[in-house]
Amino acid sequence: MGNLLEIKNLNVQFDIFGAHVQAVRGVSFELNVGETLAIVGESGSGKSVTSKAIMGLIPNPPGKITSGEIFFDGSDLVKYSQKQMQKIRGKDISMIFQDPMTALNPTMKIGKQIMEGLIKHQNLSKNEAKTKAAELLKLVGIPNPDKRLDEYPHQFSGGMRQRVVIAIALACNPKILIADEPTTALDVTIQAQILDLMRDIQKKTGTAIILITHDLGVVANLAQRVAVMYGGKIVETGTLEEIFYNPKHPYTWGLLSSMPKLHAKTDKLLAIPGTPPDLSDPPKGCPFAPRCPHAMKVCVDHMPDYTKLSATQKTACWLLDERAPKVDPPATIGVGGE
Amino acid sequence: MDESREKLLQVKNLKKYFKVSRKDTLKAVDDVTFDVYKGETFGLVGESGCGKSTTGRTIIRLYEPTEGEVLFDGEEIGGKLSTKAKKNLSRRMQMIFQDPYASLNPRMMVKDIIAEGLDIHHLVKSDKERMDRVYHLLETVGLNREHANRYPHEFSGGQRQRIGIARALAVDPDFIIADEPISALDVSIQAQVVNLLQELQEQQGLTFLFIAHDLSMVKHISDRVGVMYLGNMAELAPSDELYDHPLHPYTQALLSAIPVADPKVERTRERIILQGDVPSPVDPPSGCRFRTRCPFAMEICAKARPKWHEAGKGHWVSCHLHDDGLKK
């Protein structure tokens, strides 16, 4: 097990309406070979921008990576030109998008869309690519692959389209698969099919997955490690068990207790009051301080450093400082497994 | 559910068909029957295209029902209505929409959006009374007086949904249809809006029809839940009963498909994964609508439509597996 991808102190800024929106502010994490890392957060927390930065897909202008490094295979992707990135995208790192309705080209046959990457990156002939494309469709569970290669996206249902998107992403055996809300646009029964498929494929191919989502249920289903993002920063990271059963950051507490439990009776949801911060004028201290029930004076003025709680868990919160008062998490946290 | 409780809304064999071409008819809602009791929250769940929104919109008469009866407080509201009756209905029945970005007029100030119902129904006599009502409503839904003179674009999604709720409350309705009121919002904001709805219900004795696809949220907020599939009601039961003892294979699959935010449960849970997709409502399967994806489908399922019957106290289901004559 080694680091496949290492991100160090990434900062991404968008210059929009005369303001500088700091979407990602000093994010660092690493991805190991073959694992699934989930990045969880609400809209505007910077999770999708982080993934786009890895892919080199930040539109410039208005966006730019202002500082930081993204190490993949020993080299820094931030310094790569678009041309160099094109050799990586779709080959070593590929992406599954949220909306399968817009991720596919409606005027191109499915087969051609899958073959595109195979011909470009693996120098296959048209016929070889076609055979491989049929195999891929079979891998993602689409019946009659040979016939369906000649169909257009509108002839597929939502779940089937997402399968095609996954087939395209897997075409060149990527080392990293970035899945940006892969099941958000799908119905629950179809979501269950796609999650099953993704787990199955990871077993078969050993691809590392970065799963970007706001749905903690999907995280519990698929991920091994979790990074919780808020206001452009990672506020807490740890293994799946650590985040769900022993979270230390009040935002993680809030996120976990604001969801109703299917298997238990909840009288009242613990809502997080207020709204997320405006990142064109990011708070000086902890971004969660204005909504945090345990906020202290220091939280408003200074961003806390990460406290290492175990080999895998890191949390950025002043409550973990030895001078801070002891605060217990809400009663609903940490009671796992029924 | 107590039998003696007063029924506020009775939906009987409601059908809503849309003509999509000269020969094709889309049967969005096909023979749906249920009651909503006074003061309760009735949840309506199902996947996209199952007809849950159409049901809600037909009840409030955004669509004309094709067939069937809708009784509100004992009065028939499904047929032709006089302008006066319609107006009276819209005062007593209000709706909260899914998309808080599309459901507020961007050119109107918040105070005018909220007071539109008051103006139409002449519920206020003076400007001062009108503003007092608006301020009161804004405070009820957790916003400030200062917000009255702003435009919708100045608000976040959660705040806009609060404006939508204030507008619905303005005319002092008895019954509110909430069509996916939280699905466009972030998780932490969802909890705020759901808590607000529950508080309002306690304070004002409102009755809700809560339409959503998020089963865990529906379970949380509802007293009773109806599960729809392809225009039919598959199962209806008190919410705990439905989640603890689902009878219909579709309900079972739906419940098992929801990912639970608990890794240990997720790892040990047995999952029923349905094969295939929902068939087209233009050309639905014969007999039971669910038979093409049902793991227990029998011969009879293709031939006869299962009867909508009460399998336990207050627990209704339409499935041949639970039909007494055929019980295994």
Side-chain angles (χ1 to χ4, degrees), chain A residues 12-25 44 230-233 275-288 290 300:
Chain A
V12 184
Q13 183 178 308
F14 290 87
D15 300 330
I16 292 169
F17 305 128
H20 305 293
V21 180
Q22 296 171 33
V24 175
R25 305 186 292 142
Y230 188 80
K233 286 177 182 293
T275 46
D278 175 11
L279 292 180
S280 61
D281 180 24
K284 207 159 46 147
C286 172
F288 189 57
V300 183

Side-chain angles (χ1 to χ4, degrees), chain A residues 52-64:
Chain A
K52 291 216 170 99
I54 299 169
M55 290 290 279
L57 287 176
I58 300 281
N60 184 7
K64 61 171 186 282

Side-chain angles (χ1 to χ4, degrees), chain A residues 43 187 189 193 241 245 272, chain B residues 47-48 186 192 262 267 274:
Chain A
S43 33
D187 276 318
T189 59
Q193 293 174 1
E241 277 75 16
Y245 301 133
I272 309 176
Chain B
E47 298 179 90
S48 39
D186 267 319
Q192 292 177 6
D262 188 333
R267 226 165 280 145
L274 291 179

Side-chain angles (χ1 to χ4, degrees), chain A residues 218-229:
Chain A
V218 172
V219 173
N221 183 292
L222 213 58
Q224 282 118 37
R225 284 202 307 129
V226 185
V228 182
M229 281 193 79

Side-chain angles (χ1 to χ4, degrees), chain B residues 79-219:
Chain B
K80 246 192 148 54
L81 288 180
S82 66
T83 321
K84 205 179 151 206
K86 256 191 180 160
K87 212 168 157 184
N88 182 37
L89 186 67
S90 75
R91 199 196 64 68
R92 300 193 58 194
M93 204 191 270
Q94 282 287 315
M95 189 147 179
I96 301 167
F97 296 92
Q98 171 171 6
D99 187 352
Y101 290 86
S103 61
L104 302 177
N105 187 339
R107 296 176 180 214
M108 277 166 84
M109 268 193 241
V110 168
K111 62 176 179 195
D112 297 321
I113 292 175
I114 294 176
E116 199 175 9
L118 298 175
D119 299 342
I120 290 171
H121 295 287
H122 308 294
L123 295 174
V124 282
K125 289 184 188 69
S126 65
D127 250 8
K128 192 183 167 296
E129 200 187 338
R130 182 173 182 258
M131 283 319 290
D132 282 347
R133 270 297 279 165
V134 170
Y135 290 148
H136 179 73
L137 285 161
L138 280 173
E139 276 158 15
T140 315
V141 297
L143 294 169
N144 297 326
R145 282 165 170 258
E146 296 87 72
H147 291 141
N149 288 321
R150 296 197 192 161
Y151 287 94
H153 74 263
E154 297 173 70
F155 295 88
S156 67
Q159 287 176 318
R160 284 178 202 221
Q161 203 55 297
R162 286 173 192 268
I163 297 171
I165 295 171
R167 171 176 63 184
L169 290 175
V171 294
D172 210 358
D174 306 314
F175 182 55
I176 291 183
I177 298 178
D179 188 1
E180 305 253 17
I182 51 165
S183 50
L185 307 174
D186 267 319
V187 191
S188 70
I189 311 293
Q190 283 188 356
Q192 292 177 6
V193 173
V194 165
N195 284 347
L196 172 67
L197 290 175
Q198 283 184 316
E199 278 162 30
L200 291 172
Q201 182 168 40
E202 273 164 38
Q203 289 161 10
Q204 317 195 356
L206 292 166
T207 306
F208 282 119
L209 176 65
F210 190 88
I211 302 169
H213 66 273
D214 178 348
L215 277 92
S216 33
M217 203 49 106
V218 170
K219 184 207 169 195

Side-chain angles (χ1 to χ4, degrees), chain A residues 40-68:
Chain A
V40 202
E42 296 177 76
S43 33
S45 63
K47 55 191 195 308
S48 284
V49 175
T50 305
S51 71
K52 291 216 170 99
I54 299 169
M55 290 290 279
L57 287 176
I58 300 281
N60 184 7
K64 61 171 186 282
I65 297 177
T66 46
S67 68

